């Protein structure tokens, strides 16, 4: 198994990159959202990888973070979700948005991924609800009480307010996640800024 590949980025495409590692060019399939975050061609990049073997093909999937790789592998355990579907979900939703969609039972957000229908989206929610931690969505620093009690609480209340207004959990989480939270910010201020990011 190949745990990770580090090399020079030789090319970027819609769903894959070419990575030069000691003169060998690896074709690494990766979410579209990952491609958007990559540095310029010629830069060094490290991908956490998953090797997918079938009788008729071998594919290498790569992710910039261990969290993305872990969630990709969790998605593969869901009946009806193969590598292409899992990649589609992670191209449509960030890890944080997927966690929020699963815990908020927002199947519509998951079903927006290419190749994922309503029934498969429901299966993702049922199968992963107990396996995806909601707390990790905000990457809260437990050693900082201001972050836990102040900023974390503001974000949570803003998301709850947006869902009460009829927005989906994943959409609300995505909008709140784009707001730069300060220690003095109120829920009302966060909500107002979050609404500007709603699609």
């Amino acid at each position: 198994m190949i745990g990770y590949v580090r090399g020079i980025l030789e090319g970027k495409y819609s769903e894959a990159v070419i990575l030069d590692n000691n003169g060998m060019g690896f074709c690494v399939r990766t979410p579209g959202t990952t491609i958007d975050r990559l540095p310029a061609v010629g830069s060094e990049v490290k991908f956490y990888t998953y090797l997918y073997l079938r009788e008729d093909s071998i594919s290498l999937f790569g992710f910039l973070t261990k969290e993305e790789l872990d969630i990709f592998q969790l998605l593969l355990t869901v009946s009806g979700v193969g590598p292409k579907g899992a990649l589609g979900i992670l191209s449509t939703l960030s890890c944080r948005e997927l966690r929020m969609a699963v815990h908020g039972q927002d199947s519509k957000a998951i079903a927006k991924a290419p190749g994922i229908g309503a029934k498969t989206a429901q299966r993702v929610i049922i199968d992963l609800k107990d396996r995806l931690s909601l707390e990790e969505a905000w990457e809260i620093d437990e050693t900082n009480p201001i972050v836990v009690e102040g900023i974390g609480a503001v974000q949570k209340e803003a998301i709850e307010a947006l869902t009460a207004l009829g927005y989906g959990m994943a959409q609300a989480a995505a909008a709140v996640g784009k707001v730069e939270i300060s220690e003095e910010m109120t829920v009302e201020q966060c909500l107002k800024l979050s609404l500007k990011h709603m699609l």
Side-chain angles (χ1 to χ4, degrees):
M1 180 163 217
I2 304 172
Y4 68 85
V5 177
R6 188 195 304 273
I8 303 300
L9 191 62
E10 291 291 333
K12 294 192 278 188
Y13 306 96
S14 60
E15 293 184 347
V17 299
I18 302 296
L19 203 65
D20 183 314
N21 177 275
N22 293 320
M24 182 178 289
F26 287 90
C27 179
V28 182
R29 297 192 63 191
T30 191
T33 49
T34 297
I35 292 171
D36 294 339
R37 289 155 45 206
L38 289 173
V41 170
S43 303
E44 184 176 83
V45 183
K46 177 181 178 180
F47 282 100
Y48 294 93
T49 55
Y50 176 84
L51 185 62
Y52 182 71
L53 297 171
R54 286 184 57 180
E55 290 181 7
D56 56 346
S57 68
I58 300 175
S59 298
L60 189 64
F61 294 86
F63 306 90
L64 291 179
T65 68
K66 186 74 168 57
E67 180 191 22
E68 289 171 313
L69 173 62
D70 290 344
I71 289 180
F72 176 79
Q73 291 177 299
L74 275 178
L75 286 167
L76 293 180
T77 67
V78 178
S79 176
V81 179
K84 189 174 181 180
L87 205 65
I89 291 172
L90 290 175
S91 290
T92 305
L93 300 170
S94 68
C95 293
R96 174 187 288 180
E97 290 166 351
L98 179 59
R99 288 179 192 277
M100 290 292 182
V102 167
H103 284 275
Q105 299 186 30
D106 190 354
S107 59
K108 288 182 180 178
I110 299 170
K112 287 179 181 177
I116 302 296
K119 288 183 179 179
T120 303
Q122 283 291 346
R123 277 199 297 270
V124 169
I125 291 170
I126 292 167
D127 290 359
L128 299 188
K129 191 163 188 180
D130 294 331
R131 301 172 72 186
L132 281 178
S133 166
L134 184 60
E135 288 75 22
E136 289 180 24
W138 297 108
E139 299 176 350
I140 292 173
D141 181 1
E142 299 291 349
T143 63
N144 188 337
I146 294 173
V147 173
V148 175
E149 296 172 15
I151 296 175
V154 167
Q155 291 169 321
K156 184 180 176 186
E157 287 186 44
I159 290 170
E160 288 173 355
L162 288 170
T163 54
L165 290 172
Y167 294 105
M169 180 70 81
Q171 190 181 15
V176 173
K178 291 175 183 174
V179 175
E180 189 173 333
I181 308 289
S182 66
E183 187 180 335
E184 301 82 16
M185 184 174 285
T186 65
V187 175
E188 291 74 19
Q189 291 170 327
C190 180
L191 184 59
K192 187 176 180 181
L193 291 170
S194 298
L195 284 167
K196 294 181 180 180
H197 295 292
M198 300 307 284
L199 300 176

